[in-house]
Amino acid sequence: MSRALIIVDVQNDFCEGGSVAVAGGAVLAERISEYLRVSDYAAITATRDYHIDPGAHFSDNPNFIDTWPPHCRAATPGAEFHPNLDTAPIDEVFFKGAHAAAYSGFEGATKDGIALVDWLRTKGIDTVDVCGIATDHCVRATALDARIARFDTRVLLGLSAGVSPAGIDRALDELREAGVKIAADIES
């Protein structure tokens, strides 16, 4: 088996002080960085929300399901990776959501336009671990799409942060039902 890590959206706007902050985001970035120092993956990727004009995804009156306050606007500090995340081990970054809502990293592409699924396949990856922000939104969507793409998939719960306990519980149920493994403890 050849395994990759997908780090989802550990960006300033999703951490404390950001426009749609998730509690614990800054500490999570540190924990992921620590994990990267001891883990052994064939490839490490990261996704970034990178909105240019995502249409109805942004709202002045968001419902926090389909619409959200403006966040991760392209070329702004909010769209940058959180400074606590060590990006040196990351092999490739996948940008998503330029002109529409995009929750899954599998909706993203490199700056050269290579889709995540294609990049993973060219690296011979058959297994992925997913972590990051937010467990009940983009981590969930990325893990589900990984299963649809027929990767053996595991969510590293100890390296993920979610929006709400109820949302996390619903997401974990959905992930398990789809055949995604949930690792409660951090493993390499």
Side-chain angles (χ1 to χ4, degrees), residues 2-169:
S2 191
R3 187 168 44 152
L5 177 66
I6 303 171
I7 304 166
V8 178
D9 299 354
V10 182
Q11 296 169 260
N12 289 327
D13 271 348
F14 297 133
C15 294
E16 291 82 356
S19 61
V20 282
V22 173
V27 170
L28 176 67
E30 288 176 16
R31 289 185 23 233
I32 291 172
S33 294
E34 291 168 8
Y35 178 70
L36 291 174
R37 287 191 277 281
V38 299
S39 63
D40 183 27
Y41 286 95
I44 299 172
T45 68
T47 68
R48 283 176 65 187
D49 250 16
Y50 205 73
H51 299 304
I52 295 169
D53 181 9
H57 184 57
F58 286 174
S59 174
D60 292 332
N61 298 301
N63 63 17
F64 299 95
I65 298 168
D66 299 312
T67 59
W68 301 86
H71 60 277
C72 299
R73 291 180 189 263
T76 66
E80 296 298 320
F81 288 119
H82 191 277
N84 292 352
L85 179 66
D86 179 5
T87 59
I90 296 171
D91 298 307
E92 191 60 78
V93 176
F94 294 84
F95 298 83
K96 59 189 181 69
H99 299 284
Y103 295 90
S104 171
F106 285 86
E107 296 174 84
T110 66
K111 287 190 176 190
D112 295 331
I114 299 167
L116 176 57
V117 66
D118 296 330
W119 189 89
L120 292 168
R121 297 258 190 255
T122 63
K123 301 289 183 192
I125 302 297
D126 57 10
T127 303
V128 296
D129 287 346
V130 183
C131 66
I133 302 173
T135 311
D136 38 350
H137 294 283
C138 296
V139 169
R140 174 195 146 277
T142 300
L144 288 173
D145 280 354
R147 282 299 300 143
I148 290 168
R150 302 180 72 165
F151 292 100
D152 186 18
T153 306
R154 177 174 71 164
V155 168
L156 304 179
L157 197 56
L159 292 177
S160 300
V163 175
S164 75
I168 293 167
D169 288 344

Side-chain angles (χ1 to χ4, degrees), residues 140 144 168-180:
R140 174 195 146 277
L144 288 173
I168 293 167
D169 288 344
R170 281 192 302 276
L172 295 178
D173 288 344
E174 185 178 4
L175 289 165
R176 285 184 188 103
E177 198 170 297
V180 174

